[in-house]
Amino acid sequence: MARMVGVALETSLVRAAYRDGGRVVFVEHAWDSLAPERVVDTLSSEIENVQSILLSIGLGFLEVAKPELPAMADADRRRVLLRDADRYFPLEGALAVASGRPGAFAFATDGGQLQRWIRAFEEWAPIRGVIAAPDAIASVISTSGGFVVDAGTDEQGLLQLANGDVRDVRRIPVRVWNAMQENAVAIPSAGSESAPGKYASALGALKLANAPLETMLLDASLEEELRSARTRRQWMSYAFAALALFAIGFAASGRRDATLRATQHTADSLQAIAAPGLAANAQLAQLEEEATILAARSGTASDPLHVLAVISESLPRDAFVQRLEWDGREWRLDGSVNQAATVVPRLDSAHIFANVRVLGASTRFRDGARMRESFSIALQVKGDSVAKR
C-alpha cells in the first residue's frame, strides 16, 4: 500500500513517522545535514511503497520573528517577508519563509540549503509539503504549556503552546538555559496514537499535508512547484473518480455477482486514492469563497491610502507626525503640534472617522524658539473591521 511519510529534520537526527494499516511506525536515524543523501538511502531501503513525503524543518535550522504587519492575505504576507527579509531575519541570501497568521510567529530558513534537502529526498519520493517544526508540533499537541524541543548544537529549544497556538518559541544557548528557571517539560505523547513526544514534529507534518501552501515553509519557486503538483493530483483524482463511476455502472449492467463484487472492490480502492485530491479541491473552493467575501467588504472608506489622505487633510498645517500605525482595526497617530487640543476635534469632524480619542497626556516642549505640544491619538474608520478567517 502506498504510504505518506512525515520526516522531521533536526540538527543531528532524522525522525520519520508513517501509517502501516492500523498502526503508526516510527523510525529514527542520525544524519549529516550537509550530506542528506546517505540518510535518504537508509530510509528508502527501510520504508517501502512511499507515495509522498512531508518535511518538517527543526527549530535548529529556523530563524524566528514576530513581524508587525497589517491584516493581509497569506500570500501577500509571504511576499512582504521575502521582500523585506533583512528587516526580520538575520540571514543572508535566498530564504524560504512560513508567514503564519496575522500577529503570529514567522519562520525562515536558508533557501539554498532547503532546496538541497528537497532534491535529495525527491530521489526517494515526491515532496508534498514543507512545514516549520513549531507549527507541526502545535497541530498535534492539545496540552497548553511550555515544552522543551530540539534546537541547534549547544542550544535548547523552548515552545510555548496555548490551545494549539504557538505563543512563544525561542532558541536558547545551553549555558543560558541552565541558569534559567523555565517551567518547561518534554513534549507529552502526541496525536490520537499516543505516540512518543519526540515524534510530534513528524506526525504534525502528516497532519498538515493539505494545509494552504501560503502557510508552509517555502520560497516562491518551491511554492509554485508544489501548487502545480497539487493541481496534477486533483486532476488525477478526478480521473480515478470517473473511472470508479464507470466501473460501478459497468458492474451494474447485469454481470454475475462475482464480477460485481470484484468491480466494487476496485471502485472502493479508487475512491480512497481520490479522497485527498477531492478534499484539497473542497478546501480550495472554500478559500476562493472567503476571498470573494473579503473583496466584497473592501470599500473606499477602508482603503488605507484614502484614510491617509483624510488624516493629512484633517490635521493642522503645523502638525508633525512621528509615527502612524494601523493594526487592521484601529489607527494610531503620534506627533507634535503647536496646539494639541485642536487635533481631536479636527479629526472627529472628518465624516469617515469614529471613536477618535486621546491615548496619553500631551506634553509641552521647546523646539527652537517655538513651544510645541505632543499628541497621541487613536481612531477607527466607520464600518471597518478586521477580516477573520
Side-chain angles (χ1 to χ4, degrees):
M1 185 178 79
R3 300 186 173 103
M4 186 163 57
V5 181
V7 179
L9 303 181
E10 305 295 351
T11 306
S12 59
L13 293 172
V14 168
R15 298 187 177 103
Y18 64 93
R19 301 184 186 280
D20 185 13
R23 67 191 183 105
V24 180
V25 180
F26 304 103
V27 177
E28 179 180 278
H29 290 289
W31 83 311
D32 180 357
S33 61
L34 300 178
E37 296 78 12
R38 279 177 276 182
V39 77
V40 170
D41 291 341
T42 301
L43 290 171
S44 61
S45 64
E46 192 170 348
I47 307 173
E48 299 178 345
N49 302 320
V50 176
Q51 180 186 40
S52 58
I53 300 169
L54 278 302
L55 293 180
S56 174
I57 308 303
L59 184 57
F61 298 114
L62 300 177
E63 294 295 339
V64 183
K66 196 171 186 180
E68 295 183 2
L69 296 174
M72 61 179 69
D74 292 337
D76 293 335
R77 192 176 301 106
R78 185 201 298 282
R79 281 194 287 270
V80 170
L81 290 175
L82 287 173
R83 183 193 65 195
D84 302 330
D86 57 340
R87 293 180 55 188
Y88 305 109
F89 306 106
L91 291 173
E92 296 182 356
L95 297 183
V97 300
S99 59
R101 301 185 304 276
F105 285 91
F107 306 99
T109 193
D110 182 290
Q113 178 176 251
L114 180 59
Q115 288 273 7
R116 289 194 297 274
W117 294 342
I118 288 177
R119 301 312 168 213
F121 278 90
E122 281 181 335
E123 294 298 318
W124 180 17
I127 301 299
R128 185 160 179 170
V130 184
I131 313 295
D135 291 335
I137 294 171
S139 71
V140 293
I141 300 298
S142 58
T143 306
S144 299
F147 302 102
V148 177
V149 297
D150 291 315
T153 305
D154 297 326
E155 289 182 336
Q156 186 64 68
L158 176 64
L159 182 62
Q160 289 278 354
L161 300 179
N163 301 320
D165 289 330
V166 178
R167 295 301 175 86
D168 190 18
V169 55
R170 284 179 282 165
R171 293 168 52 183
I172 304 170
V174 171
R175 65 180 184 280
V176 177
W177 175 267
N178 293 334
M180 295 172 63
Q181 298 296 322
E182 287 287 349
N183 185 22
V185 298
I187 297 177
S189 57
S192 59
E193 299 85 2
S194 297
K198 65 181 181 178
Y199 291 100
S201 184
L203 284 173
L206 288 176
K207 185 173 181 179
L208 297 177
N210 293 318
L213 293 177
E214 293 82 1
T215 65
M216 291 188 176
L217 186 67
L218 306 170
D219 60 20
S221 63
L222 287 173
E223 182 177 351
E224 184 60 31
E225 287 181 23
L226 293 185
R227 194 176 303 281
S228 298
R230 282 193 175 187
T231 301
R232 288 194 299 271
R233 285 198 300 272
Q234 288 176 8
W235 282 109
M236 289 179 63
S237 297
Y238 297 152
F240 280 127
L243 180 59
L245 293 175
F246 175 79
I248 293 173
F250 182 76
S253 64
R255 295 176 65 87
R256 294 177 303 172
D257 291 344
T259 303
L260 177 60
R261 287 193 297 270
T263 306
Q264 185 65 54
H265 177 73
T266 301
D268 291 341
S269 300
L270 291 172
Q271 287 177 331
I273 295 172
L278 294 174
N281 187 61
Q283 186 179 33
L284 179 61
Q286 180 182 358
L287 291 174
E288 292 175 346
E289 180 180 357
E290 292 177 358
T292 301
I293 293 172
L294 290 176
R297 68 168 290 276
S298 299
T300 303
S302 61
D303 179 7
L305 293 179
H306 177 68
V307 175
L308 288 174
V310 176
I311 290 175
S312 178
E313 293 171 359
S314 302
L315 287 174
R317 295 179 63 84
D318 58 2
F320 175 72
V321 177
Q322 295 172 295
R323 183 173 68 173
L324 178 63
E325 294 181 348
W326 179 46
D327 63 4
R329 180 184 66 86
E330 187 173 73
W331 292 79
R332 173 174 174 171
L333 298 84
D334 295 283
S336 62
V337 69
N338 289 346
Q339 293 183 339
T342 64
V343 177
V344 169
R346 291 176 67 102
L347 290 172
D348 199 37
S349 65
H351 69 282
I352 71 168
F353 295 144
N355 195 23
V356 182
R357 64 192 188 280
V358 175
L359 294 179
S362 176
T363 59
R364 301 189 69 190
F365 62 93
R366 182 174 295 279
D367 182 12
R370 297 180 302 169
M371 292 301 298
R372 302 278 289 178
E373 297 180 356
S374 67
F375 64 83
S376 180
I377 294 171
L379 56 86
Q380 293 176 316
V381 177
K382 292 179 180 179
D384 205 7
S385 62
V386 180
K388 293 183 178 178
R389 185 167 294 261

